[in-house]
Amino acid sequence: MHLRSLRSVRFCAVAAICGVITLPVFAQAKPTSAELERSVHLRESWEYLTREIAWPASWLPDGSAFTYRKTVEGGFRFETVDRKTLAKTPAFDQVRLAHSLSEVTGEKVDALHLPFSEFDYADDGRAISFSIHYNGWRCTLTDYQCKEQTYPGRPRGFGVVRDLSVPADNHPRISPDGHWEAFVEDNNLVVRKVDDGGVVRLSQDGSKGNFYDPETIAWSPDSRHLMIYRVKPGFARYVLKVEAAPDDQLQPVLRRQLYPKPGDAIDQEQPVLFDVAKQSQIDIDPSLFPNPYQLSAPRWRKDGNSVAFDYVKRGFGQARIISVNADTGKAHAAVTETAKTFVYADRRFSHDVNDMGKEIVWASERDGWNHLYLINGRNGRVKNQITKGHWVVRKVVKIDDEKRQIWFAASGMNPGEDPYFRHYYRVDFDGRNLIALTPKRADHIVRFSPDMSYYVDNYSRVDLPTVSELHRSSDGHLIATITKGDITRLTAAGFRSPEVFKAKGRDGKTDIWGLVVRPTDYDPSHKYPVIENIYAGPHDSFVPKRFWPFGYHSGGDKVIGMQALADLGFIVVQIDGMGTANRSKAFQDVAWKNLQDSGFPDRILWHRALAAKDPSYDISRVGIYGASAGGQSTLNALLFYPDFYKVGVAMAGCYDNRMDKISWNEQWLGWPVDDSYSAASGVDNAARLQGDLFMIVGGQDSNVDPASTMQVVDALVKADKDFDLLVVPGGEHTVGRSTGPIDYVTRRLSEFFIGHLQK
């Protein structure tokens, strides 16, 4: 019998003394050291028990075949399928590729565990490109030479402050007709004739404090004009971190990172238009793009008559496409998007139909849902709404200007289905002839052939192992099933799919969706403490919808990590409350200037609804854990909702948004910095702490300033609050989740919950 299945029964020995005969009390036996060890290593024990679980496909450039990664004995193998014959062959020599990567990186790379799951073909299929830890790599498939991709140019802190300690990429930009080359000299724009080397200085007003940036030079297709940005530098804030225990030496090292924070002065870019023949200069009137947070690179229309750039206003209340007449320099707003709360800058989409500026396909939430619109690019007015309904466009895959058709992914269109499941569709520009391409009730990732004639549909659910199918695009006809996941051995080892559960949110109408992971030896007659795995960042939704349960993501452990914790005697859940993305605009707007909310009113109602249905779900003992924004939410659970949440493990948290990166925080809390930053601050509200808190931080976190954690520590000490702290020297933002001492951090997290919830 499993140790936790044993029950200790305590009876009153003398009824006269006790007054009444008491009912049995069931006490929970804590896990043994062997059980804890099994839990810590559960992921590596179970990860390679599946077969034929395939990842989304990558097509060869000529569309003759496609490639994907799939699970095999001992790891993963890349396989290529011929589109016509359906014959399967190894995609490349994984042993040679692993050997090359090992030599270049200095780290042992195993052939069945290549450090990437998807790639893109390059050089007409003779090379592949992929990412390892956010860095780009390229490997040839002829001689198996691998190189890390380096990109010339001057880095920018979160895209808004240039690192002036690094020289700009000032190589000459050749005009399309080949007659001129443009570059910057003494902070001014010059052009040089290719044939005789004659130099023409086009600007005179550049200076060190207001310089022309050569990396923004954009020639018109007819070589008559060019646009460039003149830049007033912002404030170069550097975060300083002491690496106390470097690997290669005894003494500490001081590291620094360009790291703009909310409210900092950012680079100010002024678009300037030049006529090369006339040697004339026009500063574009900034009245249409006041106080820019960011301008995109200039892009010329194919006729050379106009140039456009994207504008996001600081504070994220407005986004525009600005179109500039090449001859006059007169600007107009081709599209304007304004919101009372925020325009989600990272989800903007636009497409210039025929690359002429007359019509623009634009994604907008103006009717309360993310949809596509056809905009008159001359006056900014809506010609027609292309998609409409209480569902959201998630991604535009392809636009065919000639056929006036759009292929896109959307979620929430199918009644009665999980509203986060992605499906793929085709629709005409006028909104007619909407065709569904992926009818199966699951989450889909589709990869189309280069000519859009075929597609590989990779679909799954948390309770449906991945299936990959080849289809014909014209009518969705199924050509062949390519792979079908087999989890027989995983199930035999004890894996059970998570339970999907939904309950009404704070408005009494909106469904809140989550997952429930129970112990492998779950006993419905037993009472289990509850642990919530939280990530509540407004930029996405986070509850897994696909089958692969083993990996990690920015919000923390996936299903197997939750299973490992559950097997120690807990029920572990994950929920997407209001304030997250991929639902309606109103659903996400809950987070606006309100990050301390984290969807907790919805989450607590969800917990109570499950407890009302399931007597084993003990909401008198609720813990919570999360990383990054999830770490902030974990701390806030104990600060603002201590009547419900009793124990928290907060990792790498952005506990005070004024200490965190400028981009993410001004997007959700706005600009200028106001009281909403303080209202969500774990520093300013530290004295409210109740319950048991354990904070974990990597000393070299490059995503969230680790000083954010230490400022909470300082405030808690001053408030005379007890807490636990683990600082991992040299640890990065993902310490304990995908890099660093994973087993150690997992054990400490698990022991903390055992010690404080299993009393």
Side-chain angles (χ1 to χ4, degrees):
M1 181 181 292
H2 195 286
L3 183 61
R4 289 195 309 278
S5 298
L6 297 175
R7 302 288 187 264
S8 60
V9 183
R10 192 173 61 222
F11 290 94
C12 184
V14 183
I17 296 176
C18 297
V20 295
I21 297 177
T22 61
L23 295 174
V25 176
F26 298 101
Q28 181 173 9
K30 293 186 178 182
T32 65
S33 58
E35 290 170 330
L36 180 58
E37 183 73 8
R38 172 192 177 274
S39 173
V40 168
H41 296 286
L42 183 65
R43 179 177 182 265
E44 59 198 77
S45 299
W46 280 8
E47 184 171 11
Y48 307 116
L49 297 180
T50 68
R51 299 292 178 269
E52 296 292 311
I53 299 287
W55 272 253
S58 299
W59 284 85
L60 268 71
D62 63 3
S64 63
F66 54 88
T67 299
Y68 50 82
R69 182 175 86 153
K70 71 174 186 179
T71 57
V72 296
E73 182 73 34
F76 310 92
R77 193 174 299 281
F78 287 88
E79 188 170 73
T80 296
V81 178
D82 184 281
R83 180 183 58 77
K84 291 182 179 179
T85 68
L86 302 181
K88 298 180 179 180
T89 57
F92 45 78
D93 189 331
Q94 294 189 203
V95 174
R96 291 187 66 185
L97 190 65
H99 178 72
S100 179
L101 282 173
S102 297
E103 284 192 332
V104 175
T105 64
E107 299 179 3
K108 176 64 176 176
V109 177
D110 183 79
L112 289 180
H113 301 90
L114 295 174
F116 57 91
S117 59
E118 297 183 52
F119 64 84
D120 292 318
Y121 279 103
D123 194 18
D124 292 326
R126 294 188 294 271
I128 58 174
S129 59
F130 50 86
S131 293
I132 303 176
H133 301 314
Y134 304 105
N135 296 322
W137 285 81
R138 186 177 187 274
C139 293
T140 62
L141 300 182
T142 50
D143 56 2
Y144 287 87
Q145 296 298 307
C146 294
K147 292 180 62 177
E148 186 172 3
Q149 299 291 92
T150 57
Y151 303 96
R154 175 177 280 158
R156 301 189 193 185
F158 302 112
V160 294
V161 176
R162 289 163 172 80
D163 186 350
L164 300 183
S165 68
V166 177
D169 177 15
N170 195 24
H171 76 271
R173 273 67 174 179
I174 307 298
S175 61
D177 64 9
H179 294 162
W180 296 93
E181 51 187 18
F183 56 96
V184 168
E185 186 175 80
D186 296 329
N187 298 304
N188 279 289
L189 177 66
V190 299
V191 291
R192 181 169 55 208
K193 291 183 179 180
V194 173
D195 54 1
D196 62 12
V199 174
V200 177
R201 182 178 291 267
L202 291 181
S203 74
Q204 304 288 337
D205 54 350
S207 65
K208 186 176 181 180
N210 196 17
F211 60 86
Y212 284 87
D213 183 354
E215 296 178 4
T216 66
I217 293 172
W219 279 101
S220 64
D222 57 14
S223 302
R224 294 174 53 230
H225 300 89
L226 57 78
M227 178 173 276
I228 186 173
Y229 290 167
R230 192 175 61 238
V231 181
K232 291 183 179 179
F235 170 58
R237 178 191 296 278
Y238 286 89
V239 164
L240 303 178
K241 292 169 283 189
V242 174
E243 186 170 0
D247 291 334
D248 55 350
Q249 66 181 59
L250 176 64
Q251 297 301 325
V253 177
L254 181 65
R255 310 287 188 191
R256 74 174 199 162
Q257 176 187 358
L258 182 62
Y259 194 103
K261 295 185 178 183
D264 284 353
I266 60 178
D267 291 355
Q268 293 297 302
E269 298 177 324
Q270 170 62 53
V272 185
L273 181 67
F274 290 91
D275 185 308
V276 177
K278 296 178 180 178
Q279 300 182 28
S280 64
Q281 170 182 337
I282 302 175
D283 285 13
I284 308 306
D285 182 359
S287 60
L288 286 174
F289 48 99
N291 191 21
Y293 176 78
Q294 207 166 40
L295 302 180
S296 72
R299 56 186 183 275
W300 285 88
R301 273 62 182 263
K302 67 181 181 182
D303 60 6
N305 291 331
S306 63
V307 60
F309 55 88
D310 300 333
Y311 153 72
V312 176
K313 188 175 183 179
R314 193 160 190 188
F316 293 89
Q318 187 178 76
R320 276 178 167 155
I321 295 177
I322 306 297
S323 181
V324 179
N325 183 283
D327 292 321
T328 67
K330 184 177 181 181
H332 75 274
V335 186
T336 297
E337 187 75 18
T338 303
K340 293 180 179 179
T341 53
F342 59 85
V343 174
Y344 188 3
D346 287 346
R347 292 284 177 92
R348 286 174 299 132
F349 173 83
S350 66
H351 170 78
D352 195 337
V353 178
N354 294 315
D355 194 23
M356 294 292 288
K358 295 179 180 179
E359 292 180 308
I360 296 171
V361 177
W362 176 257
S364 169
E365 292 183 290
R366 62 188 65 188
D367 75 347
W369 303 82
N370 193 48
H371 281 298
L372 300 177
Y373 294 76
L374 187 63
I375 306 293
N376 183 326
R378 302 303 193 201
N379 56 30
R381 296 172 185 162
V382 175
K383 296 185 70 173
N384 63 270
Q385 185 170 351
I386 300 170
T387 62
K388 189 174 185 179
H390 288 186
W391 48 273
V392 295
V393 172
R394 297 282 293 271
K395 180 181 180 181
V396 176
V397 179
K398 171 75 173 180
I399 295 182
D400 188 321
D401 292 338
E402 183 178 343
K403 294 181 180 179
R404 296 180 72 82
Q405 291 180 330
I406 303 171
W407 284 261
F408 66 95
S411 59
M413 195 183 299
N414 300 335
E417 187 180 86
D418 187 322
Y420 296 94
F421 283 169
R422 289 166 293 182
H423 290 273
Y424 286 71
Y425 304 88
R426 186 178 67 243
V427 70
D428 294 343
F429 276 18
D430 60 7
R432 298 178 181 177
N433 299 318
L434 179 66
I435 304 296
L437 299 173
T438 54
K440 298 284 178 57
R441 187 180 63 85
D443 185 67
H444 298 256
I445 298 179
V446 166
R447 297 288 168 79
F448 289 90
S449 62
D451 65 358
M452 301 300 291
S453 296
Y454 301 90
Y455 62 90
V456 178
D457 181 11
N458 182 283
Y459 64 88
S460 70
R461 300 187 305 266
V462 292
D463 62 345
L464 174 67
T466 308
V467 178
S468 283
E469 299 173 341
L470 177 63
H471 290 257
R472 187 169 59 214
S473 297
S474 59
D475 56 3
H477 171 72
L478 173 63
I479 296 173
T481 298
I482 305 301
T483 66
K484 191 173 183 180
D486 181 354
I487 62 169
T488 305
R489 294 171 64 184
L490 182 63
T491 302
F495 173 78
R496 299 294 180 269
S497 298
E499 172 191 342
V500 177
F501 184 74
K502 65 178 179 179
K504 298 300 180 185
R506 69 188 76 181
D507 60 2
K509 299 180 295 184
T510 304
D511 285 333
I512 304 298
W513 291 73
L515 287 183
V516 185
V517 178
R518 302 178 189 276
T520 305
D521 65 345
Y522 172 70
D523 181 350
S525 68
H526 185 51
K527 277 279 191 181
Y528 293 92
V530 174
I531 299 176
E532 180 179 344
N533 172 15
I534 189 169
Y535 196 88
H539 56 281
D540 211 340
S541 53
F542 306 97
V543 174
K545 301 299 173 183
R546 300 183 59 77
F547 175 74
W548 186 249
F550 302 103
Y552 296 86
H553 62 82
S554 61
D557 295 342
K558 287 209 173 178
V559 172
I560 291 300
M562 295 165 67
Q563 185 68 65
L565 197 53
D567 282 354
L568 296 174
F570 304 97
I571 296 177
V572 186
V573 303
Q574 190 173 5
I575 311 160
D576 278 323
M578 291 187 183
T580 52
N582 301 322
R583 300 284 289 275
S584 68
K585 173 68 171 165
F587 191 98
Q588 189 183 22
D589 272 352
V590 169
W592 175 243
K593 293 187 176 293
N594 187 32
L595 289 184
Q596 69 273 21
D597 180 278
S598 293
F600 282 124
D602 313 297
R603 297 170 187 276
I604 292 171
L605 287 171
W606 188 97
H607 282 288
R608 295 192 187 282
L610 183 53
K613 174 185 175 184
D614 180 1
S616 72
Y617 196 78
D618 185 359
I619 58 170
S620 69
R621 295 180 291 165
V622 179
I624 186 169
Y625 72 101
S628 194
Q632 179 181 23
S633 295
T634 295
L635 175 60
N636 284 346
L638 302 185
L639 298 180
F640 301 109
Y641 300 90
D643 291 341
F644 189 81
Y645 295 97
K646 308 301 183 185
V647 182
V649 179
M651 297 176 283
C654 44
Y655 303 112
D656 189 309
N657 301 97
R658 295 164 294 194
M659 288 288 293
D660 194 23
K661 67 196 74 65
I662 187 173
S663 53
W664 195 86
N665 296 278
E666 287 195 8
Q667 169 71 80
W668 312 118
L669 293 172
W671 178 91
V673 173
D674 59 16
D675 290 344
S676 66
Y677 285 79
S678 176
S681 168
V683 177
D684 292 355
N685 293 284
R688 303 172 62 122
L689 178 68
Q690 297 183 47
D692 300 298
L693 171 65
F694 181 19
M695 289 189 294
I696 302 171
V697 64
Q700 293 299 308
D701 192 330
S702 60
N703 184 300
V704 173
D705 185 351
S708 182
T709 296
M710 303 315 294
Q711 290 190 1
V712 175
V713 169
D714 179 61
L716 291 172
V717 169
K718 290 175 178 176
D720 197 26
K721 297 290 184 178
D722 293 337
F723 60 95
D724 288 74
L725 173 67
L726 170 62
V727 179
V728 180
E732 250 291 354
H733 188 60
T734 53
V735 66
R737 289 174 289 141
S738 61
T739 60
I742 299 174
D743 293 349
Y744 179 79
V745 173
T746 300
R747 177 179 64 79
R748 291 291 306 276
L749 177 149
S750 301
E751 289 175 339
F752 192 79
F753 282 126
I754 291 168
H756 290 283
L757 287 177
Q758 294 182 357
K759 295 181 179 180

